[in-house]
Amino acid sequence: MEQQTYWNRVSQTKIFTTPFQSETFLQLIPKECTVLDVGCGYGRTLDELYQLGYRRLTGIDFSQGMIDRGRNLFPYLDLQVKTSVQIDYPDNSFDSVILFAVLTCITDNNEQKNLISEIHRVLKPNGILYVNDFLLNTDERNLLRYQQFEKKYGTYGIFELPEGAVLRHHSEAWIYKLLADFKSIHYQRLTFTTMNGHTSNGFCYFGKKSGQN
């Protein structure tokens, strides 16, 4: 609930800067495919896909403020408020699911696992999951805050921002464990600019759901 309150509070002002890997996405996901953006924020990734010619696009986010902003900016997008832990779509609904800088906002291991399980459920057999997120850093600023908040949260890589957000950077070992039910087809380490203007290690991942239900 605290996270939801934070994102509603900053929903009209935050500008997300993590780059969308459009070239790889275009190679793997045809434009006629159905795409679900989980944690879509104000819809900037879906708008980028729309500008590339994708039309069967859906976005969900638990922040009403973010969805309201997205509907104002991009009235042609289907943006919905996510009201429960579950994803409110049937099994095998989408050809592709995007998870774009969302894991960083979910600090609990089990909550991350549950979300990935739900994504696996709504993906069609052979569907593609695309994840962009943040990895652990080794600079002094990050090391200090990882160490400071590990005692509070019990997981190395979780930290608090003065403005109220609680975020997480991940080890690659954890990411691969989390996504073990998918077959990795593309993985790349990247460097991102965060929403507050800092530099962070990151990655993009494309994985395929098994062809079996």
Side-chain angles (χ1 to χ4, degrees):
M1 186 59 70
E2 290 182 5
Q3 292 282 71
Q4 190 173 18
T5 300
Y6 168 79
W7 288 110
N8 280 328
R9 177 163 54 82
V10 303
S11 62
Q12 300 304 310
T13 56
K14 281 295 180 187
I15 303 297
F16 300 135
T17 55
T18 310
F20 180 71
Q21 307 299 311
S22 58
E23 185 175 333
T24 307
F25 195 92
L26 282 163
Q27 290 173 357
L28 295 172
I29 295 98
K31 292 182 180 179
E32 64 271 18
C33 284
T34 52
V35 180
L36 175 67
D37 187 350
V38 175
C40 65
Y42 54 86
R44 61 124 185 175
T45 300
L46 288 179
D47 179 61
E48 196 166 335
L49 286 174
Y50 188 90
Q51 303 307 322
L52 290 171
Y54 292 84
R55 290 295 181 267
R56 303 173 72 187
L57 304 170
T58 304
I60 57 174
D61 197 284
F62 73 169
S63 168
Q64 180 72 59
M66 286 286 180
I67 294 299
D68 290 344
R69 177 183 175 187
R71 287 171 175 170
N72 287 329
L73 287 171
F74 314 117
Y76 43 84
L77 294 179
D78 177 14
L79 304 178
Q80 305 293 331
V81 178
K82 185 176 184 290
T83 58
S84 66
V85 174
Q86 290 74 34
I87 296 175
D88 293 329
Y89 292 97
D91 297 359
N92 308 320
S93 293
F94 295 94
D95 298 299
S96 181
V97 172
I98 297 170
L99 197 63
F100 208 86
V102 172
L103 294 176
T104 191
C105 302
I106 303 172
T107 58
D108 182 77
N109 285 353
N110 287 328
E111 289 183 20
Q112 289 192 358
K113 289 177 182 176
N114 289 340
L115 178 60
I116 296 301
S117 177
E118 275 292 284
I119 288 171
H120 192 277
R121 180 184 65 78
V122 300
L123 265 176
K124 296 177 182 178
N126 295 313
I128 303 293
L129 169 63
Y130 167 33
V131 184
N132 254 39
D133 222 285
F134 295 92
L135 295 172
L136 291 170
N137 294 280
T138 57
D139 61 285
E140 183 178 7
R141 183 180 67 91
N142 276 298
L143 290 177
L144 287 173
R145 60 184 183 177
Y146 297 159
Q147 292 163 6
Q148 177 185 356
F149 292 106
E150 183 178 13
K151 295 177 182 178
K152 180 175 180 178
Y153 293 101
T155 299
Y156 185 79
I158 297 175
F159 59 94
E160 297 177 4
L161 295 181
E163 62 201 64
V166 183
L167 302 174
R168 179 177 180 180
H169 295 163
H170 307 85
S171 70
E172 288 184 320
W174 170 250
I175 292 299
Y176 270 102
K177 182 177 181 181
L178 186 66
L179 303 177
D181 287 341
F182 295 86
K183 179 183 178 182
S184 176
I185 53 179
H186 178 84
Y187 180 87
Q188 183 179 1
R189 294 180 187 175
L190 299 166
T191 301
F192 297 143
T193 300
T194 72
M195 63 182 182
N196 287 339
H198 298 290
T199 298
S200 176
N201 294 328
F203 71 92
C204 73
Y205 167 96
F206 288 83
K208 180 178 289 189
K209 178 179 174 179
S210 166
Q212 302 297 318
N213 284 321

